[in-house]
Amino acid sequence: NGLESLATVGGTLSIYYNFQLSDCCAIDDLLTNGGVGGATIIFFNATGSHCNSAIDIMAACPVIPLVGSNNDSNLMQSCNDCVTRNLIRVFPNPASTTITVRWLGEDPSGTVQLTDLLGRVLMEQELQAENQFNVFRLRSGNYAVRVKADGYKQQVERVVVDR
């Protein structure tokens, strides 16, 4: 509580072993819009919360569609008025060779990225109604698909590569 207006963190953001922490959406904007200048370290917080990794936070916090043109200064609805809606489908999950990312919104304009859990971009493509990534060379483990679509808040979905 109280972090909603925080715009940037100049260094590392570390949140761990906080068993009182049950809601991390206040820092979602920092994570999704590159507001952390150093590393992001988030793990072992309250049991059952969505605060155990940056991927969990970005996937669990409300998706807020933008309203109006991209030049409008009052684009974002307040979170009290928004509807949580995930506009991507990632399948198969878990995957062994290829994953498909399907965009369910209108006008697929933007980018889709496959990242590791530290947020490093491993692959990137221009967003289409359906994108595919070959993951057969990746190690087994957890990854994230991030869709940055024009006119929408970033969409994040966890994907598991398993062989």
Side-chain angles (χ1 to χ4, degrees):
N1 192 16
L3 297 177
E4 294 86 359
S5 63
L6 184 62
T8 60
V9 173
T12 300
L13 173 65
S14 298
I15 306 170
Y16 50 90
Y17 294 109
N18 185 336
F19 301 112
Q20 299 299 311
L21 188 59
S22 61
D23 185 6
C24 298
C25 288
I27 62 168
D28 178 54
D29 191 51
L30 284 173
L31 299 171
T32 57
N33 295 309
V36 180
T40 301
I41 304 165
I42 302 172
F43 61 91
F44 293 123
N45 292 302
T47 302
S49 75
H50 61 270
C51 301
N52 286 312
S53 73
I55 302 297
D56 286 349
I57 294 168
M58 290 184 284
C61 293
V63 175
I64 305 169
L66 300 177
V67 180
S69 73
N70 287 337
N71 297 324
D72 186 355
S73 61
N74 296 317
L75 290 176
M76 190 110 26
Q77 296 174 348
S78 78
C79 244
N80 294 330
D81 299 329
C82 68
V83 175
T84 301
R85 185 169 165 218
N86 193 344
L87 295 172
I88 61 173
R89 297 292 179 265
V90 179
F91 58 90
N93 195 4
S96 59
T97 57
T98 304
I99 60 169
T100 300
V101 180
R102 185 170 292 155
W103 173 246
L104 303 176
E106 296 179 20
D107 300 323
S109 176
T111 60
V112 58
Q113 300 173 332
L114 182 67
T115 68
D116 64 13
L117 291 183
L118 296 175
R120 295 179 293 217
V121 177
L122 305 174
M123 299 176 207
E124 183 173 37
Q125 299 174 4
E126 289 298 315
L127 179 62
Q128 299 173 19
E130 196 166 282
N131 291 74
Q132 289 192 336
F133 289 100
N134 290 321
V135 297
F136 63 89
R137 292 189 175 165
L138 296 177
R139 291 184 201 163
S140 292
N142 293 309
Y143 295 88
V145 170
R146 295 176 191 230
V147 174
K148 297 177 183 178
D150 297 341
Y152 294 88
K153 184 172 175 151
Q154 177 175 270
Q155 307 277 303
V156 179
E157 186 74 33
R158 184 185 298 232
V159 64
V160 176
V161 173
D162 187 22
R163 284 192 242 314

